[in-house]
């Protein structure tokens, strides 16, 4: 990661306040239909109230260029329940016991296209998982070759369910991936900035 890029942790209130700015990164990286962004903002705000919530933002010259967040996954949460049902339906109950008994659910990892290929995604991922008490980390990523998929594999993630369609998105297959914590692979050697409360407004 470049020397002029730093990582900062956001406490839940600061994360919620920064959601509009983080959505700019999400939109540039994922290119979803614009009408989906308000719903994504509501989901992100709701996630910030989940147990064990943690988030990291990458700043380049003081401007946000990437972010990631996660929380403790458990029964009763939408992603956890849908994936658990999908694994069991495909005869993979062993993966439920192995990876979803005590998971860190990684909800989002995004880097603005103009800042990609600089190691920022890897640094975000490792910082997000560092020091967590959960046994495993789990996530979903779009099926097919991608830089994100390569990154996750290099950090120790394995595929536990492929070509999985979430309710409401039948034409967009995802792959469920999981890893034992701590993550494998090299992390950025520069420690992230840390703050229990960082009142960033999200303005540029």
């Amino acid at each position: 990661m470049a020397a002029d890029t730093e990582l900062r942790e956001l406490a839940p209130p600061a994360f919620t306040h920064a959601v509009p700015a983080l959505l700019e990164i999400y939109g540039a990286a994922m290119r979803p239909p614009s009408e989906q962004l308000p719903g994504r903002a509501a989901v992100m705000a709701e996630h910030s109230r989940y147990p064990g919530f943690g988030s990291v933002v990458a700043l380049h010259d003081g401007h946000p260029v990437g972010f990631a967040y996660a929380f403790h996954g458990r029964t009763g949460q939408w992603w956890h329940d849908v994936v658990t049902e999908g694994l069991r339906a495909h005869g993979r109950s062993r993966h439920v016991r192995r990876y979803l008994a005590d998971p860190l659910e990684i909800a989002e990892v995004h880097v603005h296209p103009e800042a990609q290929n600089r190691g920022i995604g890897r640094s975000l991922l490792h910082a997000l998982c560092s020091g967590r008490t959960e046994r495993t980390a789990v996530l979903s990523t779009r099926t097919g070759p991608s830089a994100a998929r390569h990154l996750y594999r290099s950090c120790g993630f394995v595929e536990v369910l492929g070509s999985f369609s979430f309710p409401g998105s039948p034409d967009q297959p995802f792959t469920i991936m999981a890893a034992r914590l701590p993550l494998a692979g090299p992390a950025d050697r520069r420690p992230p900035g840390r703050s229990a409360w960082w009142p960033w407004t999200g303005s540029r």
Side-chain angles (χ1 to χ4, degrees):
M1 191 170 71
D4 53 358
T5 301
E6 67 171 331
L7 303 185
R8 298 297 299 270
E9 292 180 353
L10 293 180
F15 174 86
T16 301
H17 190 65
V19 162
L22 300 181
L23 274 180
E24 294 182 17
I25 299 171
Y26 173 86
M30 300 298 288
R31 298 185 177 277
S34 58
E35 61 269 19
Q36 292 183 4
L37 293 177
R40 175 55 51 182
V43 168
M44 291 169 64
E46 179 183 2
H47 284 167
S48 71
R49 297 189 290 270
Y50 279 19
F53 177 87
S55 67
V56 186
V57 64
L59 299 174
H60 176 71
D61 291 336
H63 299 302
V65 295
F67 75 97
Y69 77 87
F71 44 81
H72 182 75
R74 64 183 184 183
T75 301
Q77 296 170 353
W78 182 82
W79 190 95
H80 185 280
D81 291 350
V82 169
V83 171
T84 295
E85 181 179 347
L87 287 169
R88 288 175 174 160
H90 285 80
R92 301 185 182 184
S93 295
R94 67 185 187 283
H95 289 327
V96 175
R97 296 188 297 269
R98 181 177 299 173
Y99 295 115
L100 293 179
D102 182 29
L104 174 68
E105 183 182 322
I106 299 174
E108 306 285 356
V109 181
H110 299 294
V111 178
H112 194 284
E114 294 179 359
Q116 292 177 4
N117 301 313
R118 302 179 189 174
I120 295 174
R122 179 179 299 276
S123 296
L124 286 167
L125 188 61
H126 274 270
L128 189 66
C129 295
S130 177
R132 297 294 305 207
T133 61
E134 290 90 352
R135 292 187 304 173
T136 60
V138 294
L139 56 83
S140 52
T141 187
R142 288 178 178 173
T143 296
S146 67
R149 196 182 183 93
H150 176 75
L151 168 64
Y152 298 141
R153 284 175 171 169
S154 71
C155 291
F157 283 85
V158 296
E159 299 171 8
V160 297
L161 185 61
S163 298
F164 178 73
S165 295
F166 286 96
S169 303
D171 300 324
Q172 192 175 80
F174 284 82
T175 296
I176 310 303
M177 306 185 75
R180 292 286 185 181
L181 292 179
L183 293 182
D188 188 87
R189 289 175 295 190
R190 295 174 61 249
R194 295 184 178 273
S195 174
W197 168 256
W198 183 41
W200 174 49
T201 64
S203 59
R204 294 178 180 272

